Amino acid sequence: MSTETAATRPDPETPDDPTAPRLTVGYLATPSGADGVVLAVALARVTGAAIDLVCVVRPTPYDGQPGLAQYQQRIEAQAADWLREGAALIPPGFSYRTVVTVNESFADGLASRAVATGARMIVVGGTGDGLLSRHTLGTISNELVHSSPVPVALAPRGYADRVDAVLDMVTVAVPVKPGTDNPLPFAEKLAERAKLDLRLLSLVSLESPFDDDSSRDVRTAQITVARELLEKTRAEVNSELEVDVLVADGATLDEALANLPWDANDIVAIGSGHLGSPNRVFLGSTASRILRWTTAPVIVVPKSG
C-alpha cells in the first residue's frame, strides 16, 4: 500500500491543473534524476501536460524497536527535500506537484502512481555511468521498460544540460515484419497533440557475413520494400502532419543505426517486443539496439492488447 503527500508550486500564477494530462516523473537526487525532470519539462512544454514529480521510499520493516514511525517520517521528509531540489529545475509557468510515495519497489511505486492518476507517460533518466548523450539503463529504468502499463520515456545521460530543450520531431520505428507491434498510432497522437513533425523510420540490414553481388542485391530489394512500406504508411497518417520517411540501411543493424542522423530536438518512439504481455512495455532486442545507438530521448510504447 502506498501513501503519499503532495505539494504544488507556491507561485499562485501557475497552480496545479487537475484536468491537464499528467506525466509521472521518477526522481532521485542524482544527475539521472535531473535528466528525467528536464525531459519531462520538454514534453510538458509541447503537450501542455502537468508534472507529478515522484520519489518512492521503501517502508521500514517493523523490528519491535520504538521510534520506528518517527524514523519513517524522517525518510519521507528527506525525500520531500530532494523533490524540492528537483522541482527547482521546472521553470515558472509549468503545472506540477511533488509526491512522496511509499512502496517496496521504486518502479512499482511509479507505475501505481501513473495508473492511479491516468498519466500518459512515466519519465525517468538512466544511470550516471554511461556515455554522455547515450542511454544506459539502471535498475529502475530496466524494470520499467520490461513491465510498465504506460509508455516509458527515457532521458539520455546529460539531458539536464539542455534546460531549454524544445522537441520538434518524433521519429517512430515502423516495423517491416508483419505481426510486429507498431508504435505508430501512439507517435501519431503525440505528434498531433504536441504539433511535432513525424519521421517514419525503417531499418534494413542483411546481417550477412558476405559482401557479394547476391547479398547486395538482396539488401537493395529490402530497401525498396521498406521505402514502399513507408510511403504507404505516410499516405495513411494525418495529412495535416509534416511527415518525412527515412530508410536506414547497413551491412548490420548496428551499422544501419550508426548511420542515422539525430537532431538535437528529436524524440524517438519504439514498440515493445513480441515476448511482452499485452498492454505492457517490453524492450525487445531491436528496440534495445536503437536505445543503445540513439542520442535522442526514447519512448517505449506498451504492446497493444
Side-chain angles (χ1 to χ4, degrees):
M1 177 69 70
S2 295
T3 60
E4 61 188 39
T5 58
T8 57
R9 179 187 292 279
D11 180 358
E13 296 181 2
T14 55
D16 181 69
D17 181 1
T19 66
R22 309 204 75 86
L23 302 172
T24 296
V25 186
Y27 184 76
L28 290 172
T30 62
S32 62
D35 291 337
V37 175
V38 172
L39 175 56
V41 169
L43 285 164
R45 182 176 283 119
V46 293
T47 64
I51 295 170
D52 286 349
L53 195 58
V54 182
C55 185
V56 182
V57 297
R58 289 183 176 180
T60 304
Y62 180 68
D63 60 3
Q65 298 297 317
L68 186 65
Q70 291 82 356
Y71 178 68
Q72 183 71 35
Q73 289 171 359
R74 288 198 298 272
I75 293 176
E76 294 180 27
Q78 178 64 72
D81 288 341
W82 288 338
L83 286 172
R84 280 188 282 273
E85 295 174 9
L89 298 170
I90 302 175
F94 287 82
S95 176
Y96 81 90
R97 57 193 177 199
T98 61
V99 179
V100 176
T101 186
V102 180
N103 196 294
E104 290 285 357
S105 162
F106 201 107
D108 184 63
L110 291 179
S112 297
R113 173 74 193 182
V115 170
T117 59
R120 305 294 175 87
M121 281 182 239
I122 294 173
V123 186
V124 291
T127 63
D129 56 358
L131 295 175
L132 193 64
S133 300
R134 299 284 184 171
H135 291 271
T136 304
L137 295 179
T139 302
I140 296 167
S141 53
N142 187 62
E143 186 175 344
L144 285 169
V145 298
H146 289 97
S147 64
S148 175
V150 299
V152 177
L154 303 165
R157 184 184 174 214
Y159 201 77
D161 295 336
R162 300 171 54 195
V163 291
D164 296 322
V166 178
L167 302 173
D168 59 21
M169 179 164 62
V170 55
T171 296
V172 56
V174 178
V176 177
K177 296 179 181 179
T180 304
D181 209 58
N182 192 352
L184 178 58
F186 170 86
E188 185 176 0
K189 289 180 181 178
L190 175 61
E192 290 170 350
R193 180 176 184 88
K195 296 181 173 57
L196 305 178
D197 294 341
L198 184 64
R199 181 168 70 163
L200 308 179
L201 169 67
S202 182
L203 298 169
V204 172
S205 67
L206 191 59
E207 297 288 3
S208 169
F210 305 107
D211 184 17
D212 51 28
D213 290 342
S214 176
S215 298
R216 285 192 288 271
D217 288 345
V218 171
R219 193 162 120 202
T220 299
Q222 289 178 330
I223 293 171
T224 300
V225 170
R227 288 191 184 281
E228 290 174 350
L229 172 66
L230 291 183
E231 291 296 342
K232 179 182 177 181
T233 303
R234 173 158 60 177
E236 295 172 351
V237 302
N238 187 338
S239 60
E240 296 182 1
L241 293 175
E242 188 72 29
V243 182
D244 191 17
V245 298
L246 175 64
V247 175
D249 70 289
T252 66
L253 184 57
D254 285 334
E255 182 179 306
L257 289 165
N259 292 334
L260 271 176
W262 298 107
D263 185 79
N265 296 328
D266 279 357
I267 191 164
V268 183
I270 55 180
S272 290
H274 68 280
L275 295 177
S277 301
N279 303 313
R280 294 277 173 174
V281 167
F282 189 87
L283 191 70
S285 58
T286 300
S288 294
R289 290 162 89 171
I290 294 174
L291 189 68
R292 185 167 71 245
W293 280 99
T294 184
T295 57
V298 170
I299 303 172
V300 190
V301 182
K303 186 178 180 181
S304 56

